[in-house]
């Protein structure tokens, strides 16, 4: 799917069709190789819906393609008491006659052997058996005999927690038997599967959410996706599928789960219902007689999970969708009774803060909320536990119950902002300020409310200036709170690229702060962003690392994710992109788990920045689309605008000027008044339009604005872009301005950009090779490709044809991994035949380490076609194989 800016997607197609098999190549290859080799049997284990049957049948299809004879049988609980009920229909034209002979083992084996020979006609034979644990004992014994005597080979599926039939135990335990345990799909596999089914990419955060609620089970995933589509909560625009509601699944999924639970006894059902409403529960919190025995049975059935990692053994349901299916089936009055009963059990004993939180939630769920003070206290506990959605619900209940004090309102406002509800947050914070002033609240509280309001203002694309005005008014009325206000001002000043002023505010706060570990960690966290912007990268990274280390400590009140975002910013400014990527992706998944929309959006945006600098343009665009879509649904609005600007830049770098203009036209009016990202988008569009001088003027005008503010790293990045526009005169100008920045900065990242600009300006082939190798060594593949391309052009101009050819081939090889980059420095035509779009796409995937089969599956091609394209690519690039492409 390829949609233009603002273009909505059609309803998802293909959800009800057969889904492709994803993430199973390795097990299929292993099973096929084993059966083609010495193995007589392969047993495929896994939970219901995990894909055991699909794997088994795919293996059988591959063997059939190799001229094997394939026989298929399946277990059936209803027929398990019928002797030979599973195998007779497979082997006999008259199944009744064979079943009648089941009491004569010798005659039965002879008849079965003859039947196999007759059907196979001399071919090797494989028998597939679905759900072998439900096969009748006579069929099992006959299957074992046929395999042992070499008449056929066996591949069978075994349901999770079901035993292998006794008749197959010796075969399964033999040295040539192969056991395959199918694991759930991981997040990337879920994302790939949904992308292929939907015909376009799905937002990463929603792939993570669907992975979480499906546990990576393909059947559950399918029903959840269908349910979301039917409910209208799976939508797409700009080529990106997103969830706008909670994935609830289909009635078929709920019926499937309930059917599995229908066989439970009264004690087991009571236990499952309590867990569905209250999980997890400690083992000793099941007070009903018979509960221990019920728990043991449920564990054997694979319906619950037991966690012994803490001081107390805790129990939960094995799958999150079990809980929703069970909750939907519990009558309301019974649910209220169970919730209140379980709350009384826990409340009857000495309670920890965590126990208080659970009891408050259960009573709230039962419609019997605790008193306002307890609700407010437990809301704060839930926030400390990073459960923001529950915390917001408790805080709202506290306010509704009468806790209209400024402190509770501040807590509620901050939680609403973290969930992306900016307007609600501002309204609640305004009421908090009114209450604080009416009640004569302390200055510390008024300063905290003001800082929270300014933070929300900063989430608006044009709101940082408004936030600064608010903080400056607070400075005049609350002189004793200068440190708190100064640190909040520093954040907004960094947003506006006033690095000198931001750092000055941090240092003014430091002058009046204490020496406690907490205060020093806050100061270091506040220093890191201005330092990174000033180009003092080593200091910035060290300051951020200090804050992260403190945030990771036990009972730290600094959110770890907040510290990690600042750390990632510092790492990106220092060109340490691999370190930044690992930090951000871990933070993102944690934010998704805890409904922290603000952090998730920042992380998505940072992932886009990282991949843009790495030169992975399509991947960067995907992350910026995630940012844009998430910001439109959940905020903050500022990141929507910045993401759209970067999408315009990426489109221009890929040569799609129409798409770039379309994105740029969607940016809100006024953002280009004082913003570096809009300036860069405008410059790249001007380059695409053949107006490099206008592009250079835009860049230099912006640098003239931000350089006096101390935004060294931003200015250096813009000047490096100027050197990439393809004109030596502009590269010379960029180098001259970068020399001035290097004098004010200790950043290797700034010096690296100066070296590149100077080499471009001088057309120095040797210097360009050195710069290209350095860019390549730190993963900036597009910059490396551009440097080698320029080296090749310079070498050719000097009459060094062999060097030129080598440089241009290396540039082409690097550019193949840059996902469609068509920048001015890569538009060389001599010495290297250009790759076709399909060759570039396949080369990019191969450079990322995907096998030919994986590429074929992803692009709906045959492996032979993929290999043909790769061979053509190798010939054009003058390389010998995949290893050189990856290099």
């Amino acid at each position: 799917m390829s949609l233009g800016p603002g273009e909505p997607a059609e309803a998802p197609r293909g959800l009800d069709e057969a889904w492709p098999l994803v993430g199973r190549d390795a097990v299929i290859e292993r099973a096929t190789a084993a059966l083609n080799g010495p193995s007589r049997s392969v047993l495929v284990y896994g939970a219901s819906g995990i894909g055991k049957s699909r794997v088994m049948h795919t293996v059988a299809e591959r063997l059939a393609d190799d001229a094997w004879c394939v026989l298929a049988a399946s277990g059936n609980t209803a027929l398990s008491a019928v002797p030979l009920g599973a195998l007779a229909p497979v082997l006999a034209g008259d199944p009744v006659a064979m079943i009648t002979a089941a009491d004569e083992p010798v005659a039965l084996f002879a008849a079965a052997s003859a039947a196999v020979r007759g059907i196979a006609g001399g071919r090797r034979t494989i028998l597939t058996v679905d759900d072998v644990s439900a096969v009748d004992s006579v069929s099992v014994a006959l299957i074992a005999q046929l395999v042992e005597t070499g008449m056929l080979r066996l591949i069978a599926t075994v349901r999770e927690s079901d035993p292998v039939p006794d008749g197959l135990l010796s075969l399964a335990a033999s040295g040539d038997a192969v056991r395959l345990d199918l694991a759930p799909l991981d997040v990337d596999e879920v994302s790939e599967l949904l992308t292929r089914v939907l015909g376009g990419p799905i937002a990463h955060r929603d792939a993570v959410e669907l992975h979480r609620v499906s546990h990576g089970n393909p059947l559950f995933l399918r029903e959840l996706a269908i349910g979301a589509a039917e409910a209208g909560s799976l939508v797409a625009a700009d080529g990106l599928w997103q969830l706008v509601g909670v994935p609830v699944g289909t009635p078929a999924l709920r019926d499937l789960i309930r059917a599995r639970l229908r066989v439970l006894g009264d004690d087991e059902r009571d236990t499952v219902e309590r867990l569905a409403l209250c999980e997890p529960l400690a083992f000793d919190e099941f007070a009903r007689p018979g509960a221990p025995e019920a728990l043991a049975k449920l564990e054997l059935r694979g319906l619950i999970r037991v966690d012994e990692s803490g001081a107390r053994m805790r129990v939960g349901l094995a799958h999150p969708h079990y809980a929703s299916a069970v909750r939907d089936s519990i009558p309301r009055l019974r649910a209220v009774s169970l919730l209140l009963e379980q709350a009384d059990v826990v409340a009857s004993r000495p309670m920890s803060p965590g126990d208080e939180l659970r009891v408050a939630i259960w009573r709230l769920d039962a419609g019997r909320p605790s008193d306002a003070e307890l609700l407010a206290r437990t809301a704060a506990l839930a926030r400390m536990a990073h459960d923001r959605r529950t915390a917001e619900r408790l805080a709202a209940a506290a306010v509704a119950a009468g806790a209209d004090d400024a402190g509770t309102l501040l807590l509620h406002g901050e939680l609403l902002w973290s969930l992306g509800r900016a307007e609600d947050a501002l309204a609640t914070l305004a009421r908090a300020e009114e209450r604080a002033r009416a009640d004569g609240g302390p200055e510390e509280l008024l300063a905290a409310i003001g800082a929270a309001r300014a933070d929300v203002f900063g989430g608006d694309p044009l709101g940082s200036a408004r936030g600064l005005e608010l903080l400056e008014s607070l400075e005049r009325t609350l002189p004793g709170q200068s440190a708190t206000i100064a640190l909040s001002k520093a954040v907004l000043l960094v947003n506006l690229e006033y690095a000198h002023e931001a750092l000055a505010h941090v240092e003014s706060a430091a002058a009046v702060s204490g020496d406690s570990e907490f205060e020093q960690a806050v100061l270091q966290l506040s220093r890191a962003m201005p330092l990174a912007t000033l180009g003092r990268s080593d200091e910035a990274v060290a300051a951020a690392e200090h804050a992260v280390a403190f945030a990771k400590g036990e009972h730290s009140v600094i959110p770890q994710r907040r510290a990690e975002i600042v750390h990632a910013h510092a790492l990106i400014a220092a060109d340490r992109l691999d370190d930044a990527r690992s930090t951000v992706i871990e933070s993102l998944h944690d934010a998704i788990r805890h409904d922290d929309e603000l952090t998730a959006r920042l992380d998505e945006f940072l992932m886009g920045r990282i991949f843009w600098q790495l030169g992975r343009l399509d991947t960067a665009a995907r992350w910026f689309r995630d940012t844009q879509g998430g910001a439109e649904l959940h905020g903050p609005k500022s990141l929507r605008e910045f993401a759209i600007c970067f999408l315009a830049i990426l489109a221009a770098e890929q040569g799609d000027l129409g798409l770039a203009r379309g994105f740029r036209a969607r940016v809100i009016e006024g953002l280009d008044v004082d913003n570096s990202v809009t300036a860069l988008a405008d410059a790249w569009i001007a380059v695409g339009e053949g107006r490099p001088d206008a592009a250079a003027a835009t860049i230099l005008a912006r640098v003239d604005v931000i350089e006096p503010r101390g935004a060294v790293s931003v200015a250096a990045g813009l000047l490096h872009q100027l050197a990439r526009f393809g004109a030596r005169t502009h590269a010379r100008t960029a180098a001259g301005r970068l020399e001035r920045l290097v004098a004010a900065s200790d950043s290797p990242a700034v010096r690296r950009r100066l070296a590149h600009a100077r080499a471009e300006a001088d057309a120095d082939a040797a210097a360009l090779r050195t710069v290209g190798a350095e860019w390549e060594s730190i993963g900036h593949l597009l910059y490396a490709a551009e440097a080698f391309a320029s080296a090749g052009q310079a070498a050719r101009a000097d009459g060094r044809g062999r060097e030129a050819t080598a440089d241009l081939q290396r540039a082409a090889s690097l550019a193949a991994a840059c996902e469609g980059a068509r920048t001015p420095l890569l538009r060389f035509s001599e010495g290297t035949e250009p790759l076709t779009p399909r060759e570039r796409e396949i080369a990019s995937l191969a450079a990322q380490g995907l096998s030919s089969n994986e590429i074929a599956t992803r692009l709906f091609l045959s492996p032979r076609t993929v290999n043909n394209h790769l061979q053509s690519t190798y010939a054009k690039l003058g390389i010998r194989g995949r290893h050189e492409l990856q290099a």
Side-chain angles (χ1 to χ4, degrees), residues 696-765:
T698 299
I699 292 293
L700 292 172
R702 184 59 190 167
V703 171
D704 287 341
V705 170
I706 63 175
E707 185 178 353
R709 299 177 183 177
V712 172
S713 63
V714 181
L718 290 174
L719 291 168
H720 182 238
Q721 298 294 311
L722 174 58
R724 298 177 60 217
F725 290 167
R728 289 177 63 185
T729 54
H730 295 152
R732 192 172 296 116
T733 301
R737 297 294 295 269
L738 281 163
E739 285 175 356
R740 194 162 73 193
L741 294 178
V742 165
S745 167
D746 66 351
S747 171
V750 178
R751 289 198 298 272
R752 193 175 292 117
R753 284 157 178 78
L754 168 60
H756 192 177
R758 185 182 290 143
E760 292 284 356
D762 297 340
D764 185 335

Side-chain angles (χ1 to χ4, degrees), residues 414-766:
E414 290 174 331
L415 289 165
L416 288 167
W417 172 227
S418 73
L419 293 172
R421 296 166 57 183
E423 292 182 5
D424 293 339
L426 284 173
T428 301
L429 292 169
R431 196 159 87 244
E433 184 178 3
E434 291 174 7
R435 293 299 306 165
R437 294 191 184 280
D439 296 341
E443 287 191 354
E444 292 88 344
L445 181 57
L446 283 166
I449 294 170
R453 291 180 65 197
D455 192 26
V456 180
F457 285 144
D460 185 272
L462 303 176
S464 291
R466 185 181 176 190
L468 284 171
E469 291 175 5
L470 168 65
L471 293 171
E472 286 166 359
S473 69
L474 284 176
E475 275 183 319
R476 294 189 290 271
T477 59
L478 303 173
Q481 298 301 307
S482 60
T484 298
I485 296 170
L487 294 181
S488 294
K489 288 180 72 174
V491 174
L492 298 179
L493 287 164
V494 168
N495 290 349
L496 296 172
E497 298 173 342
Y498 286 90
H500 285 314
E501 195 174 342
L503 186 59
H505 278 288
V506 176
E507 298 309 335
S508 72
V512 295
S513 296
D515 295 328
S516 70
E517 289 186 13
F518 166 71
E519 289 170 296
Q520 290 304 306
V522 169
L523 288 170
Q524 294 285 46
L525 187 63
S526 300
R527 282 191 183 101
M529 289 290 285
L531 287 170
T533 308
L534 283 161
R536 294 161 61 177
S537 55
D538 290 345
E539 295 174 76
V541 171
E545 287 174 347
H546 178 104
V548 169
F550 180 83
K552 287 182 176 179
E554 192 174 0
H555 306 307
S556 170
V557 293
I558 295 179
Q560 181 178 332
R561 288 194 295 275
R562 178 187 170 195
E564 288 174 340
I565 285 175
V566 173
H567 187 211
H569 270 287
L571 291 168
I572 291 170
D575 282 341
R576 293 172 52 183
L577 299 186
D578 284 343
D579 293 337
R581 179 167 51 175
S582 61
T583 297
V584 172
I585 198 67
E586 183 177 339
S587 172
L588 173 60
H589 285 193
D590 192 52
I592 293 168
R593 283 193 298 270
H594 294 107
D595 293 313
D596 187 348
E597 292 289 351
L598 179 60
T599 300
R601 210 77 333 99
L602 288 165
D603 286 332
E604 289 167 347
F605 183 74
L606 288 177
M607 289 296 287
R609 286 281 311 277
I610 289 166
F611 279 101
W612 175 59
Q613 289 187 219
L614 287 170
R616 299 271 301 281
L617 302 190
D618 285 340
T619 305
R622 185 196 122 193
W623 283 109
F624 286 128
R625 286 197 302 269
D626 278 14
T627 307
Q628 174 204 344
E632 288 176 345
L633 290 173
H634 308 292
K637 295 178 180 178
S638 59
L639 289 183
R640 173 191 178 275
E641 306 305 321
F642 295 146
I644 291 174
C645 285
F646 269 106
L647 286 167
I649 293 166
L650 289 163
E653 287 186 303
Q654 291 179 315
D656 193 336
L657 193 57
L659 186 62
R661 289 179 180 135
F663 280 122
R664 179 63 181 88
R666 296 175 62 193
V667 178
I668 64 167
E669 186 176 350
L671 192 65
D672 55 351
V673 173
D674 188 6
N675 189 277
S676 294
V677 180
T678 53
L680 184 57
D682 290 338
W684 269 106
I685 290 172
V687 169
E689 292 172 340
R691 300 185 295 114
D693 291 343
T698 299
I699 292 293
L700 292 172
R702 184 59 190 167
V703 171
D704 287 341
V705 170
I706 63 175
E707 185 178 353
R709 299 177 183 177
V712 172
S713 63
V714 181
L718 290 174
L719 291 168
H720 182 238
Q721 298 294 311
L722 174 58
R724 298 177 60 217
F725 290 167
R728 289 177 63 185
T729 54
H730 295 152
R732 192 172 296 116
T733 301
R737 297 294 295 269
L738 281 163
E739 285 175 356
R740 194 162 73 193
L741 294 178
V742 165
S745 167
D746 66 351
S747 171
V750 178
R751 289 198 298 272
R752 193 175 292 117
R753 284 157 178 78
L754 168 60
H756 192 177
R758 185 182 290 143
E760 292 284 356
D762 297 340
D764 185 335

Side-chain angles (χ1 to χ4, degrees), residues 261 264-283 285-299 301 303-306 314-318 322-323 326-327 330 334 338 341-342:
L261 302 178
L264 301 181
D266 290 344
D267 289 343
E268 294 167 83
R269 175 162 290 281
D270 178 88
T271 301
V272 166
E273 289 176 346
R274 287 177 193 276
L275 287 170
L277 295 167
C278 305
E279 68 173 339
L281 291 172
F283 184 76
E285 289 171 348
F286 293 92
R288 178 185 171 113
E293 293 80 6
L295 286 167
K297 292 177 182 176
L298 291 170
E299 186 179 10
R301 292 178 183 271
L303 295 176
I304 63 172
R305 50 181 171 77
V306 179
R314 293 189 174 275
V315 180
L317 291 173
Y322 289 176
V326 173
R327 282 196 301 268
I330 303 174
R334 173 155 175 78
L338 288 171
E341 182 181 319
Q342 204 62 47

Side-chain angles (χ1 to χ4, degrees), residues 48-73:
S48 296
I50 204 70
K52 302 184 299 295
S53 300
R54 289 289 303 280
V55 167
M56 179 181 71
H57 292 309
T58 301
V59 172
E61 288 169 7
R62 292 197 179 183
L63 294 175
D65 289 341
D66 289 338
W68 284 59
C69 172
V70 178
L71 304 177

Side-chain angles (χ1 to χ4, degrees), residues 3-34:
L3 298 178
E7 183 181 345
E10 300 176 3
R13 300 186 300 270
L15 291 179
D16 290 320
E17 300 170 4
W19 281 31
L21 196 60
V22 167
R24 303 305 188 200
D25 287 349
V27 293
I28 290 169
E29 292 289 348
R30 184 183 171 198
T32 306

